[in-house]
Short mmCIF file of all heavy atoms in Angstrom, two decimals:
data_model
loop_
_atom_site.label_atom_id
_atom_site.label_comp_id
_atom_site.label_asym_id
_atom_site.label_seq_id
_atom_site.Cartn_x
_atom_site.Cartn_y
_atom_site.Cartn_z
N ILE N 77 -4.05 -29.99 -0.91
CA ILE N 77 -4.01 -30.51 0.36
C ILE N 77 -4.20 -32.11 0.23
O ILE N 77 -5.19 -32.64 -0.27
CB ILE N 77 -5.16 -30.06 1.28
CG1 ILE N 77 -5.03 -28.54 1.44
CG2 ILE N 77 -5.12 -30.69 2.74
CD1 ILE N 77 -6.13 -27.90 2.28
N ALA N 78 -3.21 -32.93 0.67
CA ALA N 78 -3.32 -34.27 0.54
C ALA N 78 -3.85 -34.98 1.81
O ALA N 78 -3.72 -34.46 2.94
CB ALA N 78 -1.91 -34.88 0.37
N ALA N 79 -4.55 -36.07 1.65
CA ALA N 79 -5.11 -36.81 2.66
C ALA N 79 -5.89 -35.88 3.73
O ALA N 79 -5.38 -35.95 4.83
CB ALA N 79 -4.12 -37.72 3.34
N SER N 80 -6.90 -35.14 3.34
CA SER N 80 -7.52 -34.21 4.23
C SER N 80 -7.91 -34.92 5.52
O SER N 80 -8.38 -36.00 5.57
CB SER N 80 -8.61 -33.55 3.55
OG SER N 80 -9.59 -34.42 3.07
N GLN N 81 -7.91 -34.11 6.57
CA GLN N 81 -8.35 -34.49 7.94
C GLN N 81 -9.46 -33.48 8.57
O GLN N 81 -9.36 -32.24 8.01
CB GLN N 81 -7.14 -34.52 8.84
CG GLN N 81 -6.00 -35.34 8.32
CD GLN N 81 -4.77 -35.23 9.11
OE1 GLN N 81 -4.69 -34.34 9.99
NE2 GLN N 81 -3.80 -35.94 8.89
N PRO N 82 -10.32 -33.81 9.41
CA PRO N 82 -11.16 -32.89 10.01
C PRO N 82 -10.57 -31.64 10.54
O PRO N 82 -11.17 -30.69 10.56
CB PRO N 82 -11.90 -33.79 11.05
CG PRO N 82 -11.85 -35.08 10.55
CD PRO N 82 -10.46 -35.30 9.82
N GLY N 83 -9.40 -31.79 11.14
CA GLY N 83 -8.60 -30.59 11.51
C GLY N 83 -8.14 -29.71 10.48
O GLY N 83 -7.74 -28.54 10.83
N ASP N 84 -8.32 -30.03 9.29
CA ASP N 84 -8.00 -28.99 8.16
C ASP N 84 -9.18 -28.15 7.93
O ASP N 84 -9.09 -27.13 7.06
CB ASP N 84 -7.74 -29.81 6.79
CG ASP N 84 -6.50 -30.65 6.91
OD1 ASP N 84 -5.48 -30.32 7.73
OD2 ASP N 84 -6.38 -31.71 6.33
N SER N 85 -10.25 -28.35 8.56
CA SER N 85 -11.49 -27.57 8.48
C SER N 85 -11.22 -26.12 8.84
O SER N 85 -10.80 -25.91 9.98
CB SER N 85 -12.75 -28.07 9.18
OG SER N 85 -13.04 -29.41 8.71
N ALA N 86 -11.31 -25.30 8.00
CA ALA N 86 -10.98 -23.70 8.15
C ALA N 86 -11.32 -22.98 6.96
O ALA N 86 -11.62 -23.56 5.83
CB ALA N 86 -9.57 -23.53 8.51
N THR N 87 -11.08 -21.69 6.95
CA THR N 87 -11.07 -20.84 5.85
C THR N 87 -9.65 -20.61 5.27
O THR N 87 -8.88 -20.26 6.09
CB THR N 87 -11.87 -19.46 6.04
OG1 THR N 87 -13.15 -19.78 6.33
CG2 THR N 87 -11.72 -18.69 4.79
N TYR N 88 -9.49 -20.85 3.94
CA TYR N 88 -8.09 -20.68 3.39
C TYR N 88 -8.03 -19.47 2.54
O TYR N 88 -8.96 -19.26 1.64
CB TYR N 88 -7.78 -21.93 2.59
CG TYR N 88 -7.51 -23.13 3.46
CD1 TYR N 88 -8.58 -23.81 3.95
CD2 TYR N 88 -6.32 -23.46 3.76
CE1 TYR N 88 -8.35 -24.88 4.79
CE2 TYR N 88 -6.00 -24.59 4.67
CZ TYR N 88 -7.05 -25.32 5.13
OH TYR N 88 -6.88 -26.32 6.13
N LEU N 89 -7.14 -18.60 2.82
CA LEU N 89 -7.12 -17.35 2.07
C LEU N 89 -5.81 -17.26 1.20
O LEU N 89 -4.67 -17.65 1.75
CB LEU N 89 -7.09 -16.15 3.11
CG LEU N 89 -8.38 -15.96 3.88
CD1 LEU N 89 -8.11 -15.42 5.37
CD2 LEU N 89 -9.27 -15.10 3.06
N CYS N 90 -5.89 -16.63 0.14
CA CYS N 90 -4.76 -16.50 -0.65
C CYS N 90 -4.46 -14.94 -0.79
O CYS N 90 -5.43 -14.23 -0.79
CB CYS N 90 -5.04 -16.99 -2.13
SG CYS N 90 -4.28 -16.27 -3.52
N ALA N 91 -3.26 -14.55 -0.89
CA ALA N 91 -2.95 -13.05 -0.83
C ALA N 91 -1.70 -12.88 -1.70
O ALA N 91 -0.69 -13.59 -1.54
CB ALA N 91 -2.76 -12.54 0.62
N VAL N 92 -1.79 -11.82 -2.54
CA VAL N 92 -0.66 -11.42 -3.37
C VAL N 92 -0.10 -10.17 -2.82
O VAL N 92 -0.73 -9.22 -2.31
CB VAL N 92 -0.96 -11.29 -4.82
CG1 VAL N 92 -1.66 -12.66 -5.26
CG2 VAL N 92 -2.01 -10.23 -5.05
N ARG N 93 1.29 -10.14 -2.94
CA ARG N 93 1.98 -8.77 -2.65
C ARG N 93 2.52 -8.22 -3.90
O ARG N 93 3.20 -8.84 -4.65
CB ARG N 93 3.16 -9.12 -1.74
CG ARG N 93 3.82 -7.88 -1.17
CD ARG N 93 3.84 -8.01 0.34
NE ARG N 93 4.35 -6.83 0.91
CZ ARG N 93 4.75 -6.65 2.30
NH1 ARG N 93 4.50 -7.62 3.02
NH2 ARG N 93 5.26 -5.59 2.65
#
Side-chain angles (χ1 to χ4, degrees):
Chain N
I77 302 177
S80 58
Q81 304 169 357
D84 295 331
S85 297
T87 296
Y88 290 80
L89 293 150
C90 150
V92 299
R93 188 124 183 187

